[in-house]
Amino acid sequence: EPEVTQTPSHQVTQMGQEVILRCVPISNHLYFYWYRQILGQKVEFLVSFYNNEISEKSEIFDDQFSVERPDGSNFTLKIRSTKLEDSAMYFCASREQGLSDRNGYTFGSGTRLTVV
Amino acid sequence: GQNIDQPTEMTATEGAIVQINCTYQTSGFNGLFWYQQHAGEAPTFLSYNVLDGLEEKGRFSSFLSRSKGYSYLLLKELQMKDSASYLCAVRPSGFQKLVFGTGTRLLVSP
């Protein structure tokens, strides 16, 4: 079964440092997303990306965050200057283009980011 | 705005049936999704409803009433491995994103 792949699985970084989280979405999917989940809390939407541009973003996705699709396969989330409150599990997701959501959104296994 | 409510926790016994409810108030509606999430893992897609009624998939069924803003996930013949969080999520109309509820932690005991 096709998978969304994320690397690294864990990242520890010092406050103020930049981090890049990487994702390889499913190859025939055209919509890409980043979500985060702070420990014990709900899954929160950050940003959606379609046709090489951001289509939606939440209030969490401020100027410290950026996304990029540098080539035909990778999709990255950059946090420019990390804060303690950025510590969370970050999930990448993708879905097919089309009228039906019958196959759902496929999530990657996540990157656990710890800011110290 | 969007608001999705689920019970925080439920317990059930192996072999039993459990129903997890979800109510939502969103700016328009374009489908409701149920996901399973084991601790520390990714959400895994279970079901999708966009029209009223019941969708069945093996031991799992999901029901939707759009007029009531209500859905439930029914799990039959519970197994220990079904112990997980179950997340209700809605795609508001005009948006590509999913909005998640806080999830229901289900504990299945022997």
Side-chain angles (χ1 to χ4, degrees), chain A residues 4-6 21-26 32-36 75-76 89-94 105-111, chain B residues 42-43:
Chain A
V4 175
T5 306
Q6 289 187 244
L21 311 183
R22 299 178 196 280
C23 170
V24 179
I26 294 172
F32 313 122
Y33 305 84
W34 284 101
Y35 286 82
R36 79 171 185 191
F75 179 51
T76 62
M89 186 76 116
Y90 287 81
F91 293 109
C92 174
S94 69
Y105 295 49
T106 304
F107 283 77
S109 53
T111 294

PDB file of all heavy atoms in Angstrom, chain A residues 4-6 21-26 32-36 75-76 89-94 105-111, chain B residues 42-43:
ATOM      1  N   VAL A   4       3.049   7.655   2.866  1.00  0.00           N
ATOM      2  CA  VAL A   4       3.687   8.960   2.996  1.00  0.00           C
ATOM      3  C   VAL A   4       4.881   8.757   3.934  1.00  0.00           C
ATOM      4  O   VAL A   4       4.721   8.217   5.033  1.00  0.00           O
ATOM      5  CB  VAL A   4       2.708   9.993   3.585  1.00  0.00           C
ATOM      6  CG1 VAL A   4       3.415  11.312   3.836  1.00  0.00           C
ATOM      7  CG2 VAL A   4       1.513  10.189   2.645  1.00  0.00           C
ATOM      8  N   THR A   5       6.042   9.174   3.485  1.00  0.00           N
ATOM      9  CA  THR A   5       7.271   8.931   4.244  1.00  0.00           C
ATOM     10  C   THR A   5       7.775  10.237   4.833  1.00  0.00           C
ATOM     11  O   THR A   5       7.840  11.254   4.125  1.00  0.00           O
ATOM     12  CB  THR A   5       8.359   8.354   3.314  1.00  0.00           C
ATOM     13  OG1 THR A   5       7.834   7.203   2.655  1.00  0.00           O
ATOM     14  CG2 THR A   5       9.581   7.947   4.111  1.00  0.00           C
ATOM     15  N   GLN A   6       8.125  10.218   6.126  1.00  0.00           N
ATOM     16  CA  GLN A   6       8.656  11.420   6.766  1.00  0.00           C
ATOM     17  C   GLN A   6      10.005  11.136   7.397  1.00  0.00           C
ATOM     18  O   GLN A   6      10.229  10.059   7.963  1.00  0.00           O
ATOM     19  CB  GLN A   6       7.703  11.901   7.877  1.00  0.00           C
ATOM     20  CG  GLN A   6       6.415  12.492   7.344  1.00  0.00           C
ATOM     21  CD  GLN A   6       5.584  13.116   8.446  1.00  0.00           C
ATOM     22  OE1 GLN A   6       4.473  12.671   8.732  1.00  0.00           O
ATOM     23  NE2 GLN A   6       6.118  14.153   9.072  1.00  0.00           N
ATOM     24  N   LEU A  21      11.769  19.772   8.228  1.00  0.00           N
ATOM     25  CA  LEU A  21      11.138  18.456   8.290  1.00  0.00           C
ATOM     26  C   LEU A  21      10.775  18.048   6.866  1.00  0.00           C
ATOM     27  O   LEU A  21      10.252  18.843   6.095  1.00  0.00           O
ATOM     28  CB  LEU A  21       9.867  18.504   9.159  1.00  0.00           C
ATOM     29  CG  LEU A  21      10.013  19.172  10.531  1.00  0.00           C
ATOM     30  CD1 LEU A  21       8.714  19.088  11.312  1.00  0.00           C
ATOM     31  CD2 LEU A  21      11.162  18.583  11.309  1.00  0.00           C
ATOM     32  N   ARG A  22      11.045  16.776   6.572  1.00  0.00           N
ATOM     33  CA  ARG A  22      10.901  16.326   5.192  1.00  0.00           C
ATOM     34  C   ARG A  22       9.809  15.283   5.032  1.00  0.00           C
ATOM     35  O   ARG A  22       9.579  14.462   5.919  1.00  0.00           O
ATOM     36  CB  ARG A  22      12.228  15.756   4.701  1.00  0.00           C
ATOM     37  CG  ARG A  22      13.332  16.774   4.721  1.00  0.00           C
ATOM     38  CD  ARG A  22      14.683  16.228   4.295  1.00  0.00           C
ATOM     39  NE  ARG A  22      15.738  17.137   4.703  1.00  0.00           N
ATOM     40  CZ  ARG A  22      16.075  18.242   4.057  1.00  0.00           C
ATOM     41  NH1 ARG A  22      15.445  18.575   2.942  1.00  0.00           N
ATOM     42  NH2 ARG A  22      17.040  19.013   4.510  1.00  0.00           N
ATOM     43  N   CYS A  23       9.190  15.304   3.876  1.00  0.00           N
ATOM     44  CA  CYS A  23       8.073  14.404   3.586  1.00  0.00           C
ATOM     45  C   CYS A  23       8.156  14.004   2.119  1.00  0.00           C
ATOM     46  O   CYS A  23       8.505  14.825   1.257  1.00  0.00           O
ATOM     47  CB  CYS A  23       6.760  15.145   3.870  1.00  0.00           C
ATOM     48  SG  CYS A  23       5.263  14.321   3.320  1.00  0.00           S
ATOM     49  N   VAL A  24       7.849  12.745   1.856  1.00  0.00           N
ATOM     50  CA  VAL A  24       7.654  12.302   0.472  1.00  0.00           C
ATOM     51  C   VAL A  24       6.209  11.830   0.368  1.00  0.00           C
ATOM     52  O   VAL A  24       5.855  10.768   0.888  1.00  0.00           O
ATOM     53  CB  VAL A  24       8.622  11.173   0.080  1.00  0.00           C
ATOM     54  CG1 VAL A  24       8.353  10.735  -1.364  1.00  0.00           C
ATOM     55  CG2 VAL A  24      10.061  11.626   0.243  1.00  0.00           C
ATOM     56  N   PRO A  25       5.338  12.629  -0.250  1.00  0.00           N
ATOM     57  CA  PRO A  25       3.926  12.236  -0.371  1.00  0.00           C
ATOM     58  C   PRO A  25       3.765  11.067  -1.346  1.00  0.00           C
ATOM     59  O   PRO A  25       4.698  10.684  -2.043  1.00  0.00           O
ATOM     60  CB  PRO A  25       3.255  13.509  -0.922  1.00  0.00           C
ATOM     61  CG  PRO A  25       4.251  14.610  -0.715  1.00  0.00           C
ATOM     62  CD  PRO A  25       5.590  13.972  -0.776  1.00  0.00           C
ATOM     63  N   ILE A  26       2.582  10.529  -1.401  1.00  0.00           N
ATOM     64  CA  ILE A  26       2.264   9.464  -2.355  1.00  0.00           C
ATOM     65  C   ILE A  26       2.332  10.048  -3.760  1.00  0.00           C
ATOM     66  O   ILE A  26       1.849  11.170  -4.002  1.00  0.00           O
ATOM     67  CB  ILE A  26       0.885   8.859  -2.044  1.00  0.00           C
ATOM     68  CG1 ILE A  26       0.951   8.145  -0.688  1.00  0.00           C
ATOM     69  CG2 ILE A  26       0.417   7.907  -3.141  1.00  0.00           C
ATOM     70  CD1 ILE A  26      -0.366   7.660  -0.153  1.00  0.00           C
ATOM     71  N   PHE A  32      -1.111  18.454  -0.554  1.00  0.00           N
ATOM     72  CA  PHE A  32      -0.192  18.133   0.522  1.00  0.00           C
ATOM     73  C   PHE A  32      -0.488  19.019   1.722  1.00  0.00           C
ATOM     74  O   PHE A  32      -0.911  20.176   1.560  1.00  0.00           O
ATOM     75  CB  PHE A  32       1.266  18.340   0.075  1.00  0.00           C
ATOM     76  CG  PHE A  32       1.567  17.742  -1.272  1.00  0.00           C
ATOM     77  CD1 PHE A  32       2.039  18.525  -2.309  1.00  0.00           C
ATOM     78  CD2 PHE A  32       1.371  16.393  -1.506  1.00  0.00           C
ATOM     79  CE1 PHE A  32       2.307  17.980  -3.559  1.00  0.00           C
ATOM     80  CE2 PHE A  32       1.633  15.839  -2.749  1.00  0.00           C
ATOM     81  CZ  PHE A  32       2.091  16.643  -3.778  1.00  0.00           C
ATOM     82  N   TYR A  33      -0.249  18.449   2.896  1.00  0.00           N
ATOM     83  CA  TYR A  33      -0.608  19.139   4.128  1.00  0.00           C
ATOM     84  C   TYR A  33       0.467  18.932   5.179  1.00  0.00           C
ATOM     85  O   TYR A  33       1.160  17.906   5.183  1.00  0.00           O
ATOM     86  CB  TYR A  33      -1.916  18.559   4.707  1.00  0.00           C
ATOM     87  CG  TYR A  33      -3.071  18.581   3.737  1.00  0.00           C
ATOM     88  CD1 TYR A  33      -3.226  17.565   2.804  1.00  0.00           C
ATOM     89  CD2 TYR A  33      -3.999  19.618   3.752  1.00  0.00           C
ATOM     90  CE1 TYR A  33      -4.272  17.584   1.893  1.00  0.00           C
ATOM     91  CE2 TYR A  33      -5.047  19.639   2.849  1.00  0.00           C
ATOM     92  CZ  TYR A  33      -5.180  18.619   1.925  1.00  0.00           C
ATOM     93  OH  TYR A  33      -6.219  18.632   1.028  1.00  0.00           O
ATOM     94  N   TRP A  34       0.546  19.887   6.106  1.00  0.00           N
ATOM     95  CA  TRP A  34       1.251  19.688   7.361  1.00  0.00           C
ATOM     96  C   TRP A  34       0.278  19.926   8.501  1.00  0.00           C
ATOM     97  O   TRP A  34      -0.500  20.900   8.475  1.00  0.00           O
ATOM     98  CB  TRP A  34       2.448  20.635   7.500  1.00  0.00           C
ATOM     99  CG  TRP A  34       3.626  20.233   6.678  1.00  0.00           C
ATOM    100  CD1 TRP A  34       4.013  20.747   5.484  1.00  0.00           C
ATOM    101  CD2 TRP A  34       4.586  19.219   6.987  1.00  0.00           C
ATOM    102  NE1 TRP A  34       5.135  20.121   5.017  1.00  0.00           N
ATOM    103  CE2 TRP A  34       5.516  19.176   5.929  1.00  0.00           C
ATOM    104  CE3 TRP A  34       4.761  18.334   8.061  1.00  0.00           C
ATOM    105  CZ2 TRP A  34       6.600  18.292   5.909  1.00  0.00           C
ATOM    106  CZ3 TRP A  34       5.828  17.466   8.039  1.00  0.00           C
ATOM    107  CH2 TRP A  34       6.738  17.442   6.976  1.00  0.00           C
ATOM    108  N   TYR A  35       0.308  19.005   9.456  1.00  0.00           N
ATOM    109  CA  TYR A  35      -0.447  19.104  10.694  1.00  0.00           C
ATOM    110  C   TYR A  35       0.534  18.943  11.845  1.00  0.00           C
ATOM    111  O   TYR A  35       1.616  18.389  11.682  1.00  0.00           O
ATOM    112  CB  TYR A  35      -1.488  17.976  10.798  1.00  0.00           C
ATOM    113  CG  TYR A  35      -2.687  18.149   9.893  1.00  0.00           C
ATOM    114  CD1 TYR A  35      -2.619  17.782   8.552  1.00  0.00           C
ATOM    115  CD2 TYR A  35      -3.879  18.668  10.378  1.00  0.00           C
ATOM    116  CE1 TYR A  35      -3.724  17.936   7.714  1.00  0.00           C
ATOM    117  CE2 TYR A  35      -4.984  18.829   9.551  1.00  0.00           C
ATOM    118  CZ  TYR A  35      -4.894  18.458   8.224  1.00  0.00           C
ATOM    119  OH  TYR A  35      -5.980  18.615   7.401  1.00  0.00           O
ATOM    120  N   ARG A  36       0.122  19.413  13.025  1.00  0.00           N
ATOM    121  CA  ARG A  36       0.940  19.132  14.198  1.00  0.00           C
ATOM    122  C   ARG A  36       0.030  18.665  15.324  1.00  0.00           C
ATOM    123  O   ARG A  36      -1.173  18.947  15.353  1.00  0.00           O
ATOM    124  CB  ARG A  36       1.763  20.342  14.619  1.00  0.00           C
ATOM    125  CG  ARG A  36       0.979  21.365  15.398  1.00  0.00           C
ATOM    126  CD  ARG A  36       1.857  22.437  15.992  1.00  0.00           C
ATOM    127  NE  ARG A  36       1.058  23.314  16.833  1.00  0.00           N
ATOM    128  CZ  ARG A  36       1.491  24.465  17.314  1.00  0.00           C
ATOM    129  NH1 ARG A  36       2.720  24.883  17.042  1.00  0.00           N
ATOM    130  NH2 ARG A  36       0.717  25.201  18.075  1.00  0.00           N
ATOM    131  N   PHE A  75       8.480  17.295  -0.020  1.00  0.00           N
ATOM    132  CA  PHE A  75       7.654  18.396   0.470  1.00  0.00           C
ATOM    133  C   PHE A  75       8.193  18.718   1.859  1.00  0.00           C
ATOM    134  O   PHE A  75       8.224  17.845   2.726  1.00  0.00           O
ATOM    135  CB  PHE A  75       6.192  17.954   0.507  1.00  0.00           C
ATOM    136  CG  PHE A  75       5.214  18.976   1.025  1.00  0.00           C
ATOM    137  CD1 PHE A  75       5.196  20.268   0.526  1.00  0.00           C
ATOM    138  CD2 PHE A  75       4.296  18.630   2.006  1.00  0.00           C
ATOM    139  CE1 PHE A  75       4.288  21.207   0.993  1.00  0.00           C
ATOM    140  CE2 PHE A  75       3.377  19.565   2.480  1.00  0.00           C
ATOM    141  CZ  PHE A  75       3.375  20.849   1.973  1.00  0.00           C
ATOM    142  N   THR A  76       8.660  19.939   2.081  1.00  0.00           N
ATOM    143  CA  THR A  76       9.347  20.242   3.335  1.00  0.00           C
ATOM    144  C   THR A  76       8.622  21.326   4.122  1.00  0.00           C
ATOM    145  O   THR A  76       7.965  22.206   3.547  1.00  0.00           O
ATOM    146  CB  THR A  76      10.795  20.708   3.076  1.00  0.00           C
ATOM    147  OG1 THR A  76      10.767  21.909   2.303  1.00  0.00           O
ATOM    148  CG2 THR A  76      11.594  19.643   2.339  1.00  0.00           C
ATOM    149  N   MET A  89       4.492  16.650  17.603  1.00  0.00           N
ATOM    150  CA  MET A  89       4.620  15.694  16.500  1.00  0.00           C
ATOM    151  C   MET A  89       4.094  16.408  15.261  1.00  0.00           C
ATOM    152  O   MET A  89       3.003  16.985  15.295  1.00  0.00           O
ATOM    153  CB  MET A  89       3.783  14.454  16.801  1.00  0.00           C
ATOM    154  CG  MET A  89       3.954  13.353  15.800  1.00  0.00           C
ATOM    155  SD  MET A  89       5.506  12.476  16.027  1.00  0.00           S
ATOM    156  CE  MET A  89       4.880  10.882  16.465  1.00  0.00           C
ATOM    157  N   TYR A  90       4.874  16.378  14.194  1.00  0.00           N
ATOM    158  CA  TYR A  90       4.471  17.016  12.945  1.00  0.00           C
ATOM    159  C   TYR A  90       4.153  15.922  11.927  1.00  0.00           C
ATOM    160  O   TYR A  90       4.980  15.054  11.636  1.00  0.00           O
ATOM    161  CB  TYR A  90       5.583  17.928  12.423  1.00  0.00           C
ATOM    162  CG  TYR A  90       5.695  19.184  13.249  1.00  0.00           C
ATOM    163  CD1 TYR A  90       6.380  19.171  14.472  1.00  0.00           C
ATOM    164  CD2 TYR A  90       5.111  20.371  12.836  1.00  0.00           C
ATOM    165  CE1 TYR A  90       6.449  20.323  15.247  1.00  0.00           C
ATOM    166  CE2 TYR A  90       5.181  21.524  13.610  1.00  0.00           C
ATOM    167  CZ  TYR A  90       5.852  21.483  14.809  1.00  0.00           C
ATOM    168  OH  TYR A  90       5.925  22.622  15.585  1.00  0.00           O
ATOM    169  N   PHE A  91       2.946  15.987  11.402  1.00  0.00           N
ATOM    170  CA  PHE A  91       2.500  15.002  10.418  1.00  0.00           C
ATOM    171  C   PHE A  91       2.355  15.658   9.050  1.00  0.00           C
ATOM    172  O   PHE A  91       1.754  16.725   8.915  1.00  0.00           O
ATOM    173  CB  PHE A  91       1.138  14.417  10.797  1.00  0.00           C
ATOM    174  CG  PHE A  91       1.135  13.569  12.030  1.00  0.00           C
ATOM    175  CD1 PHE A  91       0.534  14.015  13.196  1.00  0.00           C
ATOM    176  CD2 PHE A  91       1.737  12.310  12.027  1.00  0.00           C
ATOM    177  CE1 PHE A  91       0.521  13.230  14.342  1.00  0.00           C
ATOM    178  CE2 PHE A  91       1.729  11.521  13.164  1.00  0.00           C
ATOM    179  CZ  PHE A  91       1.126  11.976  14.323  1.00  0.00           C
ATOM    180  N   CYS A  92       2.864  14.978   8.066  1.00  0.00           N
ATOM    181  CA  CYS A  92       2.617  15.326   6.679  1.00  0.00           C
ATOM    182  C   CYS A  92       1.462  14.452   6.187  1.00  0.00           C
ATOM    183  O   CYS A  92       1.320  13.296   6.609  1.00  0.00           O
ATOM    184  CB  CYS A  92       3.884  15.042   5.874  1.00  0.00           C
ATOM    185  SG  CYS A  92       3.740  15.254   4.099  1.00  0.00           S
ATOM    186  N   ALA A  93       0.631  14.977   5.314  1.00  0.00           N
ATOM    187  CA  ALA A  93      -0.467  14.191   4.742  1.00  0.00           C
ATOM    188  C   ALA A  93      -0.608  14.543   3.274  1.00  0.00           C
ATOM    189  O   ALA A  93      -0.220  15.639   2.838  1.00  0.00           O
ATOM    190  CB  ALA A  93      -1.774  14.461   5.483  1.00  0.00           C
ATOM    191  N   SER A  94      -1.174  13.614   2.523  1.00  0.00           N
ATOM    192  CA  SER A  94      -1.460  13.912   1.121  1.00  0.00           C
ATOM    193  C   SER A  94      -2.777  13.274   0.732  1.00  0.00           C
ATOM    194  O   SER A  94      -3.264  12.355   1.412  1.00  0.00           O
ATOM    195  CB  SER A  94      -0.330  13.439   0.208  1.00  0.00           C
ATOM    196  OG  SER A  94      -0.247  12.020   0.144  1.00  0.00           O
ATOM    197  N   TYR A 105      -7.436  11.061   3.570  1.00  0.00           N
ATOM    198  CA  TYR A 105      -6.143  11.714   3.542  1.00  0.00           C
ATOM    199  C   TYR A 105      -5.163  10.718   4.171  1.00  0.00           C
ATOM    200  O   TYR A 105      -5.449  10.163   5.240  1.00  0.00           O
ATOM    201  CB  TYR A 105      -6.139  12.986   4.393  1.00  0.00           C
ATOM    202  CG  TYR A 105      -7.034  14.109   3.918  1.00  0.00           C
ATOM    203  CD1 TYR A 105      -8.364  13.904   3.566  1.00  0.00           C
ATOM    204  CD2 TYR A 105      -6.549  15.421   3.841  1.00  0.00           C
ATOM    205  CE1 TYR A 105      -9.181  14.951   3.156  1.00  0.00           C
ATOM    206  CE2 TYR A 105      -7.357  16.467   3.442  1.00  0.00           C
ATOM    207  CZ  TYR A 105      -8.667  16.219   3.104  1.00  0.00           C
ATOM    208  OH  TYR A 105      -9.481  17.257   2.704  1.00  0.00           O
ATOM    209  N   THR A 106      -4.011  10.538   3.553  1.00  0.00           N
ATOM    210  CA  THR A 106      -3.025   9.595   4.070  1.00  0.00           C
ATOM    211  C   THR A 106      -1.963  10.357   4.845  1.00  0.00           C
ATOM    212  O   THR A 106      -1.349  11.287   4.304  1.00  0.00           O
ATOM    213  CB  THR A 106      -2.367   8.810   2.925  1.00  0.00           C
ATOM    214  OG1 THR A 106      -3.386   8.167   2.156  1.00  0.00           O
ATOM    215  CG2 THR A 106      -1.427   7.754   3.477  1.00  0.00           C
ATOM    216  N   PHE A 107      -1.759   9.936   6.085  1.00  0.00           N
ATOM    217  CA  PHE A 107      -0.788  10.607   6.951  1.00  0.00           C
ATOM    218  C   PHE A 107       0.525   9.824   6.999  1.00  0.00           C
ATOM    219  O   PHE A 107       0.524   8.588   6.971  1.00  0.00           O
ATOM    220  CB  PHE A 107      -1.344  10.729   8.375  1.00  0.00           C
ATOM    221  CG  PHE A 107      -2.355  11.824   8.526  1.00  0.00           C
ATOM    222  CD1 PHE A 107      -3.653  11.649   8.064  1.00  0.00           C
ATOM    223  CD2 PHE A 107      -2.020  13.027   9.117  1.00  0.00           C
ATOM    224  CE1 PHE A 107      -4.598  12.665   8.187  1.00  0.00           C
ATOM    225  CE2 PHE A 107      -2.951  14.049   9.250  1.00  0.00           C
ATOM    226  CZ  PHE A 107      -4.245  13.865   8.783  1.00  0.00           C
ATOM    227  N   GLY A 108       1.621  10.562   7.102  1.00  0.00           N
ATOM    228  CA  GLY A 108       2.907   9.944   7.362  1.00  0.00           C
ATOM    229  C   GLY A 108       3.034   9.590   8.837  1.00  0.00           C
ATOM    230  O   GLY A 108       2.182   9.942   9.652  1.00  0.00           O
ATOM    231  N   SER A 109       4.125   8.914   9.165  1.00  0.00           N
ATOM    232  CA  SER A 109       4.330   8.431  10.539  1.00  0.00           C
ATOM    233  C   SER A 109       4.807   9.526  11.483  1.00  0.00           C
ATOM    234  O   SER A 109       4.895   9.302  12.686  1.00  0.00           O
ATOM    235  CB  SER A 109       5.308   7.262  10.545  1.00  0.00           C
ATOM    236  OG  SER A 109       6.478   7.630   9.872  1.00  0.00           O
ATOM    237  N   GLY A 110       5.096  10.698  10.963  1.00  0.00           N
ATOM    238  CA  GLY A 110       5.369  11.851  11.818  1.00  0.00           C
ATOM    239  C   GLY A 110       6.834  12.064  12.157  1.00  0.00           C
ATOM    240  O   GLY A 110       7.652  11.137  12.115  1.00  0.00           O
ATOM    241  N   THR A 111       7.144  13.313  12.498  1.00  0.00           N
ATOM    242  CA  THR A 111       8.452  13.688  13.062  1.00  0.00           C
ATOM    243  C   THR A 111       8.188  14.264  14.436  1.00  0.00           C
ATOM    244  O   THR A 111       7.437  15.235  14.569  1.00  0.00           O
ATOM    245  CB  THR A 111       9.163  14.737  12.198  1.00  0.00           C
ATOM    246  OG1 THR A 111       9.496  14.180  10.938  1.00  0.00           O
ATOM    247  CG2 THR A 111      10.424  15.239  12.895  1.00  0.00           C
TER     248      THR A 111
ATOM    249  N   ALA B  42       0.804   7.675  13.576  1.00  0.00           N
ATOM    250  CA  ALA B  42       0.035   8.524  12.673  1.00  0.00           C
ATOM    251  C   ALA B  42      -1.440   8.147  12.708  1.00  0.00           C
ATOM    252  O   ALA B  42      -1.793   6.986  12.957  1.00  0.00           O
ATOM    253  CB  ALA B  42       0.555   8.375  11.252  1.00  0.00           C
ATOM    254  N   PRO B  43      -2.333   9.094  12.448  1.00  0.00           N
ATOM    255  CA  PRO B  43      -3.737   8.744  12.234  1.00  0.00           C
ATOM    256  C   PRO B  43      -3.882   7.846  11.004  1.00  0.00           C
ATOM    257  O   PRO B  43      -3.261   8.101   9.966  1.00  0.00           O
ATOM    258  CB  PRO B  43      -4.417  10.095  12.004  1.00  0.00           C
ATOM    259  CG  PRO B  43      -3.485  11.111  12.571  1.00  0.00           C
ATOM    260  CD  PRO B  43      -2.115  10.556  12.368  1.00  0.00           C
TER     261      PRO B  43
END
